[in-house]
Amino acid sequence: MNKHTTTLLATGLILTITLVPFCALQKNVQADTASDLSQKISEKNNQIEQLEQEIKQYQTELNVIGKNAQTLKSSLNELDISHKKLEAEVKVTQSKITTTNLHIQELELQIGDKNQTIDNNQQSIAKGIAIINESENNPFIFSILTRSAITESLGDIENIKSVQRRIRENISEVTVVKTGLEGSRSDAIKAKSLLVELQSELGDQQKILSQNIVAKNKLLGETKDKESNYKKIVAQKTALKNAFGNELRDYEAQLKFVLDPSSLPKVGSGALNWPLQSVYITQLFGKTVAAKRLYTSGSHSGIDFRASTGTPVMAMASGTVLGFGDTDEACKGASFGKWVYIKYDNGLGSVYGHLSLIKASTGQRVAPGDIVAYSGFTGHATGPHLHVGLYAAEAVEISNKESIACKGKMLYQPRAALNAYLDPILYMPKYTADMLKPDMY
């Protein structure tokens, strides 16, 4: 064998041999790290699962309280359980943030590992090509005198080409893996976006948790922990709410609006999504048994959904937020409390009432499923729930109006002619019997 060829072949083989342990070492080191990340993610997921079971239990307890008569004891108990549920939800979000961060690290580790492997192989093939080029440019073949020497030299060249071919094949295989990991890059970007959303959600939950503490302390301060004082406060708020309700209805009865059915979506078309992830309707629209009992008008102007404090409230269709406010600032307990009004592109408009926290801003474009607020029990509410009022959007005005019931206070909220009020259930998805409170009729 030609000495020069032998040296070149040996060099190529050494490059191939030394490359494998280096890559294997890198993989072993990073595999341990990846294993640690995977275990941490698994542990966090287990924690999340346990916390979510706790939250379900708290929700079950709240549902039971909601079915009973409202007393000071039950209201305080409801606030206590809501507090525990909110704390658990905060922990879930914190765990999800940690898990997402770990997942991002895992993805970046995988991508970095494959990139390093490919870089190493690219350097190796570059050296292999240089070896082949050098051997082809060397006129050693002219010094070969025998037929057997020619055969042996050609074999050496084939061996070098074989080394190069194997390296190329290795790079091709790893490149395929890298191409697959480009999807991981996209996943990492999505995970980082999710992280931002979770951090925002955590901030919201912590604010609502603080509000819950304030509400309990305020209730204790107002009632001095006496049931008789609580009943007086409830009676006063109910009287105020009824007075304002009558006043609002008298005003809206004077508004003139010609309803054009063709400007609205077809009834039963499912033009609106549900505003909550979990649906349970506690009060329907219009004249029901409960409405006759609860409202001086004998009619309910929207739909009430069961929703514990801090439940995300979502836009039901694409549209624009035209306003938000808090009627409690002018007249506590008389009306919606914290509210958001959305004008949808399909001709409908909805108001969400009794919210704990508002996320939307005036002029904001929203899509179905976008979180615009969190449920609560501000305004006139005997417990946490979500009120959804629906209108023919063209008839709605959002303005300040001086109130007689609230002694000259200016209340800012949506108002519309009575014939512009619509039954939300007619435009929502089909519901089943288990979504309705049995005695609501």
Side-chain angles (χ1 to χ4, degrees), residues 142-192:
F142 296 110
S143 63
I144 298 173
L145 301 176
T146 65
R147 187 181 185 86
S148 60
I150 293 174
T151 302
E152 185 178 351
S153 298
L154 289 173
D156 293 341
I157 292 173
E158 286 303 315
N159 286 335
I160 294 173
K161 288 184 176 180
S162 177
V163 170
Q164 183 188 27
R165 188 162 52 250
R166 286 197 300 273
I167 295 175
R168 282 187 181 277
E169 289 171 355
N170 181 257
I171 287 180
S172 176
E173 291 172 3
V174 178
T175 301
V176 169
V177 176
K178 183 186 174 185
T179 300
L181 282 177
E182 290 303 320
S184 296
R185 291 185 189 274
S186 176
D187 290 342
I189 292 171
K190 291 177 182 177
K192 289 176 182 178

Side-chain angles (χ1 to χ4, degrees), residues 38-343:
S38 180
Q39 183 168 346
K40 288 177 181 177
I41 290 172
S42 179
E43 290 171 356
K44 282 296 174 184
N45 284 334
N46 288 335
Q47 289 178 15
I48 290 171
E49 187 175 345
Q50 291 174 5
L51 287 167
E52 287 178 339
Q53 289 301 317
E54 284 184 33
I55 291 169
K56 285 182 180 179
Q57 180 58 39
Y58 291 139
Q59 185 60 59
T60 299
E61 293 177 31
L62 289 171
N63 294 345
V64 172
I65 293 173
K67 293 177 181 178
N68 299 329
Q70 287 294 307
T71 63
L72 176 59
K73 183 179 179 180
S74 67
S75 295
L76 291 172
N77 192 25
E78 185 170 53
L79 286 168
D80 284 336
I81 296 172
S82 294
H83 186 82
K84 292 176 182 177
K85 180 173 177 284
L86 286 165
E87 284 184 324
E89 288 171 343
V90 166
K91 289 178 182 177
V92 166
T93 305
Q94 288 172 330
S95 294
K96 286 181 178 180
I97 287 172
T98 301
T99 301
T100 305
N101 270 320
L102 290 170
H103 183 51
I104 290 170
Q105 291 178 41
E106 190 177 46
L107 290 168
E108 290 176 345
L109 185 62
Q110 292 174 0
I111 293 169
D113 178 34
K114 294 305 178 184
N115 281 336
Q116 184 62 53
T117 301
I118 289 172
D119 288 343
N120 293 336
N121 280 277
Q122 285 174 335
Q123 292 175 19
S124 177
I125 197 171
K127 292 178 181 178
I129 291 172
I131 290 171
I132 296 300
N133 288 338
E134 187 176 352
S135 66
E136 288 176 348
N137 293 330
N138 191 343
F140 72 92
I141 196 167
F142 296 110
S143 63
I144 298 173
L145 301 176
T146 65
R147 187 181 185 86
S148 60
I150 293 174
T151 302
E152 185 178 351
S153 298
L154 289 173
D156 293 341
I157 292 173
E158 286 303 315
N159 286 335
I160 294 173
K161 288 184 176 180
S162 177
V163 170
Q164 183 188 27
R165 188 162 52 250
R166 286 197 300 273
I167 295 175
R168 282 187 181 277
E169 289 171 355
N170 181 257
I171 287 180
S172 176
E173 291 172 3
V174 178
T175 301
V176 169
V177 176
K178 183 186 174 185
T179 300
L181 282 177
E182 290 303 320
S184 296
R185 291 185 189 274
S186 176
D187 290 342
I189 292 171
K190 291 177 182 177
K192 289 176 182 178
S193 176
L194 173 62
L195 188 61
V196 172
E197 292 178 9
L198 286 170
Q199 287 170 335
S200 175
E201 184 177 343
L202 178 61
D204 295 339
Q205 290 170 336
Q206 289 172 332
K207 288 177 185 176
I208 296 169
L209 189 58
S210 297
Q211 289 177 11
N212 182 267
I213 297 171
V214 171
K216 180 181 178 181
N217 291 336
K218 188 170 184 180
L219 181 59
L220 286 170
E222 289 176 341
T223 62
K224 295 181 174 56
D225 204 15
K226 290 184 178 181
E227 186 68 39
S228 58
N229 291 340
Y230 177 77
K231 288 180 178 179
K232 288 179 183 177
I233 291 171
V234 171
Q236 290 169 357
K237 289 184 176 180
T238 300
L240 177 62
K241 182 260 181 185
N242 289 339
F244 177 75
N246 290 335
E247 174 190 323
L248 177 64
R249 197 165 190 84
D250 289 343
Y251 172 76
E252 291 182 326
Q254 298 174 38
L255 298 177
K256 303 300 180 184
F257 174 69
V258 179
L259 178 63
D260 178 9
S262 66
S263 67
L264 303 176
K266 184 179 178 181
V267 170
S269 61
L272 300 177
N273 292 342
W274 295 118
L276 302 170
Q277 285 286 354
S278 179
V279 175
Y280 186 80
I281 302 170
T282 58
Q283 178 62 42
L284 284 170
F285 174 86
K287 294 182 178 180
T288 65
V289 172
K292 291 176 182 177
R293 185 179 71 252
L294 297 173
Y295 307 99
T296 56
S297 65
S299 182
H300 187 222
S301 61
I303 289 182
D304 289 345
F305 292 86
R306 182 173 67 193
S308 60
T309 300
T311 302
V313 178
M314 303 173 293
M316 296 185 287
S318 296
T320 304
V321 177
L322 292 193
F324 64 91
D326 183 359
T327 60
D328 279 349
E329 292 178 355
C331 190
K332 186 169 178 58
S335 186
F336 291 135
K338 292 180 181 177
W339 59 269
V340 171
Y341 176 77
I342 304 172
K343 180 180 180 181

Side-chain angles (χ1 to χ4, degrees), residues 337-403:
K338 292 180 181 177
W339 59 269
V340 171
Y341 176 77
I342 304 172
K343 180 180 180 181
Y344 298 113
D345 298 339
N346 58 20
L348 300 173
S350 72
V351 63
Y352 296 141
H354 312 303
L355 308 171
S356 61
L357 186 69
I358 296 169
K359 287 290 292 178
S361 57
T362 301
Q364 177 185 338
R365 286 289 299 173
V366 293
D370 286 351
I371 296 175
V372 296
Y374 294 88
S375 63
F377 59 104
T378 56
H380 183 78
T382 55
H385 71 282
L386 173 67
H387 172 84
V388 178
L390 191 71
Y391 316 85
E394 293 303 318
V396 177
E397 62 173 43
I398 304 176
S399 61
N400 266 312
K401 185 180 181 300
E402 187 174 357
S403 172

